[in-house]
């Protein structure tokens, strides 16, 4: 009986659909927001390597008539795309536990070199294999800084948090850097 009703409903909907104006939104309804969230801390190292024949970060655009000096993030407006390995330890040969993929752009017109970091950091091993965090944040080129975690996927759904970032290695000639991340997350 229910099946028949459902079938009729489908027929009616199909028949009337051309006349129905499409909407880009659904009706709003009250939801129960979970009152408990999980807190998770992550600790890993990101290898942002621009030098060599197989760089992890590449310049893809810059304003006309500007030059990128070696070891400089480039003029205001320069854009880089990166696919950086994440490892357990600071040594590039230590165990890879994920990758950071995204883009960063040089967004300061002043002498305070600043990037906008826009990346998805996905983990490829352990408890959070396949889960990721989304980072969208101002990223000043200083040795110690904080970036905002604005979301996540998988086990990190609805994540909010921040990461303290500490540069453990910087080559000012090539721009290569190894960055230590200490992430604090609240998620479902
Ligand atoms: C991570 O998940 C992928 C996809 O499910 C799987 O192929 C891979 O073996 C897993 N890796 C580890 C280290 O658990
Ligand atoms: C820094 O980068 C330059 C240019 O790529 C390279 O010649 C030099 O060996 C690097 N120094 C270190 C300590 O990695």
């Amino acid at each position: 009986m229910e099946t028949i009703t459902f079938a009729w409903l489908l027929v009616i909907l199909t028949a009337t659909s051309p006349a129905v104006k499409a909407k880009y939104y659904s009706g709003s309804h009250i939801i129960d927001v979970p009152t408990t969230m999980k807190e998770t801390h992550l600790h890993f190292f990101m290898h942002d390597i621009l030098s060599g024949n197989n760089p992890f970060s590449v310049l893809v655009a810059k304003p006309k008539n500007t030059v990128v000096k070696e070891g400089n993030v480039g003029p205001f407006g320069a854009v880089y795309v990166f696919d950086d390995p994440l490892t357990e330890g600071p040594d590039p040969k230590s165990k890879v536990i994920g990758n950071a993929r995204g883009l960063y752009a040089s967004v300061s017109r002043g002498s305070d070199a600043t990037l906008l970091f826009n990346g998805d950091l996905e983990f490829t091993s352990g408890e959070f294999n396949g889960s990721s965090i989304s980072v969208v944040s101002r990223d000043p080129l200083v040795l110690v800084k904080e970036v905002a975690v604005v979301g996540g996927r998988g086990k990190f759904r609805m994540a909010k948090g921040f990461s303290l970032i500490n540069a453990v290695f910087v080559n000012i000639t090539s721009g290569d850097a190894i960055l230590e991340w200490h992430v604090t997350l609240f998620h479902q």
Side-chain angles (χ1 to χ4, degrees), residues 6-185:
F6 183 63
W8 269 111
L9 192 64
L10 272 182
V11 171
I12 292 162
L13 282 177
T14 311
T16 58
S17 60
V20 176
K21 270 193 185 154
K23 283 189 196 163
Y24 71 91
Y25 52 88
S26 72
S28 301
H29 57 278
I30 306 281
I31 55 161
D32 285 326
V33 176
T35 51
T36 56
M37 299 281 277
K38 289 179 191 143
E39 179 178 346
T40 301
H41 294 266
L42 307 172
H43 178 230
F44 52 83
F45 294 81
M46 180 176 118
H47 302 260
D48 194 46
I49 306 302
L50 291 84
S51 66
N53 296 327
N54 189 19
F56 301 153
S57 181
V58 292
L59 176 72
V60 294
K62 66 180 183 66
K64 253 190 210 166
N65 306 324
T66 56
V67 287
V68 176
K69 294 189 205 101
E70 214 187 1
N72 192 304
V73 290
F76 173 59
V79 178
Y80 293 77
V81 169
F82 62 89
D83 180 356
D84 288 351
L86 305 175
T87 61
E88 260 177 4
D91 185 337
K93 292 189 201 78
S94 76
K95 189 184 171 194
V96 174
I97 51 93
N99 54 71
R101 293 179 175 172
L103 20 105
Y104 52 73
S106 177
V107 291
S108 169
R109 292 190 296 122
S111 56
D112 55 336
T114 307
L115 301 174
L116 178 73
F117 184 99
N118 182 349
D120 179 298
L121 282 61
E122 182 172 298
F123 302 95
T124 53
S125 83
E127 165 80 11
F128 298 107
N129 184 15
S131 297
S132 82
I133 58 171
S134 297
V135 176
V136 177
S137 192
R138 186 179 285 235
D139 178 7
L141 290 193
V142 294
L143 293 181
V144 179
K145 57 203 162 184
E146 177 183 334
V147 294
V149 176
V150 298
R153 295 185 287 109
K155 291 190 173 169
F156 293 135
R157 269 186 194 168
M158 308 295 284
K160 286 252 179 290
F162 60 91
S163 181
L164 300 176
I165 299 179
N166 176 31
V168 294
F169 170 81
V170 178
N171 181 329
I172 55 167
T173 311
S174 63
D176 295 352
I178 301 175
L179 305 161
E180 180 178 24
W181 288 57
H182 278 283
V183 188
T184 298
L185 288 178

